[in-house]
Amino acid sequence: MSSVDSQQRVLSGMRPTGKLHLGHYHGVLKNWVKLQHEYECFFFVADWHALTTEYDNPAGIEQSVWDMVIDWLAAGVNPGSSTMFIQSQVPEHAELHLLLSMITPLGWLERVPTFKDQQEKLREKDLATYGFLGYPLLQSADILVYRAGKVPVGADQVSHVEITREVARRFNHLYGREPGFEEQAEGAIVKMGKKNAKLYRTLKKRYQEEGDLDALETARALLKEQQNISLGDRERLYGYIEGGGKVILPEPQPLLTPESKMPGLDGQKMSKSYNNYIGLREEPDSVAQKIRTMQTDPQRVRRTDPGDPDKCPVWEMHKIYSDSETQDWVQHGCRSAGIGCLDCKKPLIDAIVEEQRPLHERAREYEGNPDLVHSILQEGREQARDAARDTLEEVRAAMGLHYR
């Protein structure tokens, strides 16, 4: 597998927190459903990551895994279009994490922004553990073991992809320069033929001397098209143009996802910790009750008082669920006191219940057939292990651990 091909592979995961809510659906799952038809996608349950903060309370993890996977399937994540699996059932993650820990400076882990942020937020927990310090490196191993070129993240998670890029770069620098690397790379250029060899050398010079990123991308595309060089030679030439060695672990790129606009029932970000959420598969009566009792513009005390939608959490939901005609109706009716708050909430209830209807239908198939869920994860595990083993073979060989 080449580093260019890795750009068609996506890796993403979720810690098992139990049943998901509409914030997860709009912020992550709808994007996964889209990506699975555009890339080769690996989606995993990050159960080891759950232990970094819940190591003293693991009892609920197993049930949370099944609840969450059923939510994935209900949302439209398709085992025929993506690979779904549980992290701890693919031990290659742990092996690569161990091997990468041998080369990763301690300071890289301590400077990850979320390290101190999480310590501050979870002060009541004893997080003075290697697992907590090392979780960014485990995340790096999760990505690199599949040589995934794209990682869908929000803006606040880009630092995790950046440390992964640094680890991959360091690994390739340490282990990619095999004996006679430059001679083999020069020999590979000749195999491309005079015209392509000349073009490659020109692009290499432009990138290395002028920092021309377009030249780098053009060279990568040129190498991908070559039919008369081996996969090993192609990898050498990827590394040669970048001034390093053979690319063993391609550097991933963050695939920025739009921030979820899904507000909670109180106007804050929807979150279980705020208890302001609507479950992904919440029953219609419960959805209706939660929306009806939502707080509204505090200045609108009586039915005849005009309101301001911009000060009302209900309006934030209308911006997601309602079409322009309904939004205009809300704006005019609220400001003129032409409609009451319950009138305003009714189309919102209808829209959410309608959105959830197919999710309930798909979920019933899996809730009534747990063996089907297990088989999906088992098949995903085997597919994931096949890909991960390929990477570990190269990593072990590069580190001198490939014994006969």
Side-chain angles (χ1 to χ4, degrees):
M1 176 178 179
S2 73
S3 55
V4 170
D5 293 333
S6 76
Q7 295 303 306
Q8 292 303 310
R9 182 172 281 185
V10 164
L11 185 285
S12 190
M14 278 190 197
R15 289 166 61 128
T17 56
K19 293 181 178 180
L20 303 180
H21 54 63
L22 291 179
H24 296 116
Y25 181 59
H26 286 274
V28 179
L29 293 178
K30 287 172 75 173
N31 189 47
W32 282 12
V33 171
K34 176 175 175 285
L35 290 173
Q36 70 184 350
H37 300 300
E38 300 172 356
Y39 298 95
E40 180 188 12
C41 290
F42 288 78
F43 300 133
F44 72 98
V45 178
D47 56 339
W48 276 335
H49 284 294
L51 289 173
T52 59
T53 54
E54 299 296 328
Y55 61 85
D56 57 343
N57 184 32
I61 290 178
E62 182 176 2
Q63 186 59 49
S64 292
V65 168
W66 306 125
D67 288 340
M68 188 172 76
V69 171
I70 289 175
D71 277 341
W72 291 2
L73 294 164
V77 180
N78 188 337
S81 303
S82 60
T83 299
M84 292 185 281
F85 61 97
I86 298 172
Q87 180 188 33
S88 65
Q89 293 187 343
V90 183
E92 285 78 9
H93 287 241
E95 182 180 353
L96 186 58
H97 177 219
L98 172 68
L99 295 175
L100 295 178
S101 74
M102 304 301 180
I103 68 164
T104 303
L106 198 58
W108 288 12
L109 301 175
E110 292 172 331
R111 76 168 190 243
V112 173
T114 50
F115 174 64
K116 290 184 178 178
D117 290 347
Q118 286 287 88
Q119 277 190 322
E120 184 64 25
K121 287 178 182 176
L122 302 172
R123 276 183 293 181
E124 74 283 359
K125 289 183 175 289
D126 177 11
L127 295 179
T129 63
Y130 168 71
F132 183 70
L133 175 65
Y135 85 87
L137 189 60
L138 179 56
Q139 286 185 322
S140 295
D142 296 333
I143 298 165
L144 295 174
V145 78
Y146 299 103
R147 293 186 271 199
K150 297 186 185 296
V151 184
V153 291
D156 59 337
Q157 298 169 306
V158 170
S159 61
H160 290 290
V161 181
E162 187 52 43
I163 190 175
T164 303
R165 290 170 55 80
E166 291 176 349
V167 169
R169 200 174 303 136
R170 181 171 171 84
F171 185 93
N172 293 331
H173 177 75
L174 287 171
Y175 303 112
R177 297 192 72 87
E178 62 213 309
F181 171 76
E182 291 194 10
E183 291 81 0
Q184 292 188 62
E186 286 292 336
I189 294 174
V190 173
K191 295 175 189 176
M192 294 168 62
K194 286 186 179 181
K195 182 180 177 181
N196 288 329
K198 182 179 180 181
L199 177 57
Y200 175 86
R201 292 185 194 280
T202 300
L203 294 168
K204 177 173 177 284
K205 183 177 181 180
R206 278 170 48 196
Y207 174 67
Q208 293 186 350
E209 294 183 6
E210 303 169 24
D212 187 338
L213 293 176
D214 288 338
L216 176 61
E217 291 305 312
T218 303
R220 286 174 170 167
L222 174 69
L223 291 172
K224 187 177 182 181
E225 294 169 358
Q226 298 306 301
Q227 301 296 319
N228 51 344
I229 60 174
S230 68
L231 179 60
D233 278 340
R234 187 177 290 120
E235 293 292 357
R236 287 183 189 93
L237 293 181
Y238 285 136
Y240 196 40
I241 195 171
E242 293 175 11
K246 178 180 176 183
V247 176
I248 300 168
L249 297 177
E251 295 179 32
Q253 299 289 338
L255 189 62
L256 283 174
T257 56
E259 184 179 353
S260 174
K261 304 294 186 185
M262 191 67 206
L265 296 167
D266 56 0
Q268 299 184 82
K269 178 181 177 181
M270 185 171 285
S271 170
K272 286 186 177 180
S273 59
Y274 297 153
N275 195 30
N276 66 352
Y277 65 94
I278 295 174
L280 187 75
R281 294 180 281 131
E282 192 140 342
E283 291 301 320
D285 288 348
S286 179
V287 171
Q289 178 63 17
K290 284 185 174 182
I291 297 295
R292 287 193 192 106
T293 55
M294 275 183 73
Q295 65 185 54
T296 54
D297 178 0
Q299 299 302 313
R300 195 169 190 196
V301 179
R302 293 176 295 274
R303 168 67 173 76
T304 54
D305 292 335
D308 182 353
D310 294 331
K311 296 178 181 177
C312 178
V314 178
W315 169 245
E316 295 303 312
M317 285 196 172
H318 270 295
K319 288 196 284 189
I320 293 174
Y321 283 100
S322 298
D323 57 25
S324 57
E325 184 179 345
T326 303
Q327 289 184 24
D328 289 343
W329 172 76
V330 169
Q331 282 281 345
H332 178 74
C334 179
R335 293 181 188 279
S336 66
I339 61 172
C341 291
L342 288 178
D343 299 324
C344 172
K345 292 173 177 178
K346 187 177 186 310
L348 195 56
I349 294 169
D350 293 342
I352 294 174
V353 169
E354 185 59 33
E355 177 184 62
Q356 291 179 318
R357 193 185 312 280
L359 278 64
H360 282 292
E361 291 173 359
R362 281 193 290 263
R364 276 193 285 271
E365 175 188 357
Y366 299 106
E367 286 179 313
N369 190 354
D371 288 344
L372 178 57
V373 180
H374 284 262
S375 68
I376 288 169
L377 292 173
Q378 179 64 26
E379 184 176 341
R381 170 196 176 188
E382 295 307 316
Q383 293 172 351
R385 289 206 73 181
D386 285 345
R389 285 190 191 106
D390 289 344
T391 302
L392 261 298
E393 280 186 20
E394 284 200 46
V395 168
R396 292 188 200 110
M399 296 182 78
L401 302 173
H402 199 258
Y403 307 114
R404 295 186 179 181

